[in-house]
Amino acid sequence: MQPEWKNNTELSENVVKWFESRGIKQSTLQNMQIGEGLEYMPQHNKQVNTIQFHYFEGGKLVNTKYRTGAKDFKFISNAELVPYNIDGVKNQEKIYITEGEMDALTLIQLGYPAISVPNGASDNTAYLDRFMDPFLMNLKEVIIAVDTDTKGVILREALIRRFGVEKCKLVDSWGNGCKDANECLMLYGAPGVHAMVSSANFI
């Protein structure tokens, strides 16, 4: 299913302030075409206001992830799973892979060519098959910048198997009290994220 692009990228003050509380600037939201709007969410059995992360490929909308204030999620039914921000890492020799859109936004805002897996911490990376040859296969470095909790380790191991241990570097800490890039940004600011990312080593 190819979803229809509706340019619903006008954000309320509450949403902009929420992102700002997470260290994400309004300019980043605009650049990444973050949306907001009412959407039926099965967890609530009604339409509720949602933040909308749009997944593009080749400049075309492929999928949208809807997120509520209660941290419930859904994708467009029957739409394809693709990495978030896949267009933003084309022709890169080195990319960063995160576990969620907020962590990808964190790294993108700081100048890193980052994508996020679409389905969170899972060992299912089959959606990458279509991108492996030649695009992702030709990468020289893959920096795995996922969460450091138990589920993040499961995803990390799946990505290592897919890309090969010889290409993979690992961010194995986001600093004391942080499990991911966005938490690091909130607690330690941009210098803290840069420090953690620069500490990534080959496995």
Side-chain angles (χ1 to χ4, degrees), residues 132-163:
M132 291 302 293
D133 188 15
F135 170 41
L136 295 178
M137 191 68 73
N138 288 340
L139 289 169
K140 293 182 178 178
E141 284 186 22
V142 177
I143 292 82
I144 300 174
V146 299
D147 294 11
T148 56
D149 57 11
T150 301
K151 291 183 177 180
V153 172
I154 293 172
L155 172 59
R156 178 187 73 189
E157 296 303 315
L159 293 171
I160 291 170
R161 289 194 299 272
R162 175 164 289 276
F163 289 102

Side-chain angles (χ1 to χ4, degrees), residues 1-3 61-64 75-82:
M1 176 182 175
Q2 182 76 41
L61 183 67
V62 176
N63 210 334
T64 295
F75 277 112
I76 294 174
S77 179
N78 298 319
E80 185 179 5
L81 283 182
V82 297

Side-chain angles (χ1 to χ4, degrees), residues 2-3 5 7 10 14 19 42 52 59 75 81 86 91 98 101 121 128 141 146 148 201:
Q2 182 76 41
W5 169 238
N7 189 21
E10 290 293 325
N14 284 343
F19 275 104
Q52 300 168 3
F75 277 112
L81 283 182
I86 191 67
N91 303 316
T98 71
E101 295 86 1
L128 289 171
E141 284 186 22
V146 299
T148 56
N201 292 310

Side-chain angles (χ1 to χ4, degrees), residues 80-144:
E80 185 179 5
L81 283 182
V82 297
Y84 181 66
N85 193 43
I86 191 67
D87 283 354
V89 299
K90 290 289 180 69
N91 303 316
Q92 298 287 334
E93 293 185 345
K94 175 169 67 174
I95 66 169
Y96 299 76
I97 302 181
T98 71
E99 190 174 316
E101 295 86 1
M102 292 300 295
D103 298 321
L105 292 176
T106 296
L107 296 189
I108 291 165
Q109 180 170 281
L110 298 181
Y112 297 100
I115 61 174
S116 170
V117 299
N119 55 346
S122 167
D123 61 0
N124 177 14
T125 59
Y127 55 87
L128 289 171
D129 287 348
R130 190 163 59 79
F131 301 94
M132 291 302 293
D133 188 15
F135 170 41
L136 295 178
M137 191 68 73
N138 288 340
L139 289 169
K140 293 182 178 178
E141 284 186 22
V142 177
I143 292 82
I144 300 174

